[in-house]
């Protein structure tokens, strides 16, 4: 996987409408006891992915680190995340989708020095 690529690219004929939709469809059949993502959960995963990709496109190292940290907190510390006081616990499908995103984002690195 090269930096800047994370799954199907927009504009390709076979690409799903969104990465979250693709993920939700693939996770629905992955484990028989794991329910599919709700529309709100898929949108949440998509927002995290969009934030990661925007930081990568802008080559903003601080924004990329911040976005990665938010994904990790959402995936592995769902009850400790800011703004989630009193929120319902994350579903198994959402936790799984966020953990999958966290593995994919681990490869997102910016070059040490900008190329000109």
């Amino acid at each position: 996987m090269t930096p800047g690529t994370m799954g199907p690219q927009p504009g390709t004929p076979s690409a799903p409408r969104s990465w979250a939709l693709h993920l939700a469809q693939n996770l629905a059949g992955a484990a028989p006891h794991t329910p599919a993502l709700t529309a709100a959960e898929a949108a949440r995963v998509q927002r995290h992915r969009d934030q990661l990709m925007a930081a990568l496109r802008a080559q903003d190292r601080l924004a990329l680190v911040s976005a990665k940290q938010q994904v990790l907190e959402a995936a592995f510390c769902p009850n400790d995340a800011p703004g989630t006081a009193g929120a319902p616990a994350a579903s198994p499908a959402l936790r799984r989708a966020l953990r999958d995103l966290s593995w994919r984002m681990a490869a997102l690195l910016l070059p040490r020095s900008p190329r000109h």
Side-chain angles (χ1 to χ4, degrees):
M1 181 179 306
T2 60
T5 61
M6 186 184 289
Q9 295 300 306
T12 58
S14 62
R17 286 182 295 154
S18 72
W19 186 80
L21 178 61
H22 170 74
L23 184 62
Q25 290 171 344
N26 286 336
L27 286 179
H33 302 293
T34 304
L37 287 172
T38 65
E41 290 171 336
R44 181 176 174 189
V45 174
Q46 184 67 42
R47 279 191 305 272
H48 280 295
R49 183 192 178 275
D50 291 345
Q51 190 175 17
L52 287 163
M53 298 310 294
L56 192 66
R57 278 189 303 274
Q59 294 194 359
D60 185 342
R61 190 175 307 277
L62 292 176
L64 183 60
V65 169
S66 176
K68 284 182 173 186
Q69 188 62 40
Q70 288 177 14
V71 172
L72 290 172
E73 286 174 0
F76 296 101
C77 307
N79 298 331
D80 298 336
T84 59
S91 71
L94 178 59
R95 287 194 311 269
R96 186 174 182 173
L98 289 168
R99 287 177 180 162
D100 183 55
L101 181 60
S102 70
W103 276 105
R104 291 173 183 269
M105 72 170 199
L108 298 178
L109 300 172
L110 291 173
R112 292 252 181 231
S113 60
R115 295 180 194 170
H116 293 278

